[in-house]
Amino acid sequence: MDPVPLFEREAFRDVAGQALRPGGTRLTSLALEHCLLAPGAPVADVGCGRGASLKLLAGQGFTPIGLDPSPRLLAEARELEASGPAGALVRGTAEAIPLRSGAFAAVLCECVLTVTRDPRLALAEMRRILAPGGLLLLTDIYLRDPVDALAPRAAGCASGAVSRPEMEDRLRGAGFCVRVFEDHSRLLAELAGRLVFAGLDRAELGIGCSGAGRPGYYLCIATAEDV
């Protein structure tokens, strides 16, 4: 039997809250302040989870649509919509987004890319659904130290973390130009500390000693370049 994903563990959910990630929707709001999107702009939330960012986007006057592979999380996002508009919902993965090409002014991908099976394909799919000049808003775990390729990888959400140079190389390869890169590792440390205090194992969280690098958390905004 496959282990229960970390985001479905009740202890994790109780601590991490509706957004299930460091910084919650505060960091989403900060990212949106950088973007100056037009009122009503269509925005896709890839890996929308329980719908926290969808609710925020709808409340700010955008037209959001959420995508997630988890039936449980989509059901919870639908329940959240019952308390007010939160956007449309679609089941699917980041590597095969069932949405129209060039249809979106912005794409959110918050604490999702490191747990996708093929992050390069996921970035290519996000570029596909963006209009030229559209914005990709990423928040995720990265490695702040040089990576030892022979070292064992961290577990949990940090398992797919890479260095900033490698992350930026992947973005360029998918047709993006990085406009903003901010370190918000303090938010990761705060959440990790609360999770450890709640009884979750440090190694499971990917914050134990690892030769692969010291985990941090970033906000990145990139522009979809013309092809």
Side-chain angles (χ1 to χ4, degrees):
M1 180 180 296
D2 292 336
V4 177
L6 189 61
F7 62 80
E8 291 193 359
R9 296 269 300 278
E10 293 306 322
F12 180 88
R13 293 155 67 89
D14 289 345
V15 172
Q18 188 71 30
L20 298 175
R21 60 180 180 271
T25 54
R26 290 176 296 153
L27 195 54
T28 310
S29 294
L30 177 62
L32 290 170
E33 288 175 8
H34 284 292
C35 297
L36 301 176
L37 296 171
V43 181
D45 184 357
V46 176
C48 65
R50 305 167 87 180
S53 289
L54 291 174
K55 195 78 170 177
L56 174 68
L57 290 165
Q60 293 193 11
F62 303 120
T63 305
I65 182 168
L67 172 80
D68 204 281
S70 168
R72 177 180 180 181
L73 293 179
L74 288 174
E76 292 176 353
R78 290 188 183 94
E79 290 177 3
L80 184 64
E81 188 176 23
S83 64
L89 295 166
V90 176
R91 187 178 179 189
T93 68
E95 297 94 335
I97 299 175
L99 299 173
R100 183 164 55 87
S101 299
F104 293 90
V107 170
L108 297 184
C109 184
E110 300 175 290
C111 212
V112 169
L113 201 59
T114 53
V115 294
T116 59
R117 295 177 185 269
D118 188 337
R120 293 182 187 275
L121 179 57
L123 287 171
E125 276 289 272
M126 287 184 265
R127 170 63 187 85
R128 178 185 63 78
I129 67 170
L130 277 168
L135 297 170
L136 173 63
L137 288 66
L138 284 175
T139 62
D140 219 322
I141 298 172
Y142 76 115
L143 300 177
R144 291 184 284 168
D145 299 327
V147 176
D148 179 355
L150 299 178
R153 305 297 296 178
C157 295
S159 61
V162 297
S163 66
R164 175 178 175 179
E166 184 169 349
M167 184 68 251
E168 293 184 346
D169 181 68
R170 289 179 179 182
L171 285 164
R172 285 191 295 271
F176 289 102
C177 179
V178 175
R179 301 299 185 188
V180 174
F181 191 101
E182 297 178 353
D183 182 86
H184 290 275
S185 298
R186 177 183 58 82
L187 298 175
L188 177 64
E190 289 174 355
L191 177 58
R194 289 188 284 125
L195 289 168
V196 170
F197 190 75
L200 276 79
D201 185 76
R202 288 172 57 88
E204 183 180 17
L205 297 172
I207 59 173
C209 296
S210 171
R214 186 166 51 110
Y217 201 74
Y218 70 87
L219 162 64
C220 177
I221 300 174
T223 306
E225 300 294 281
D226 290 331
V227 294

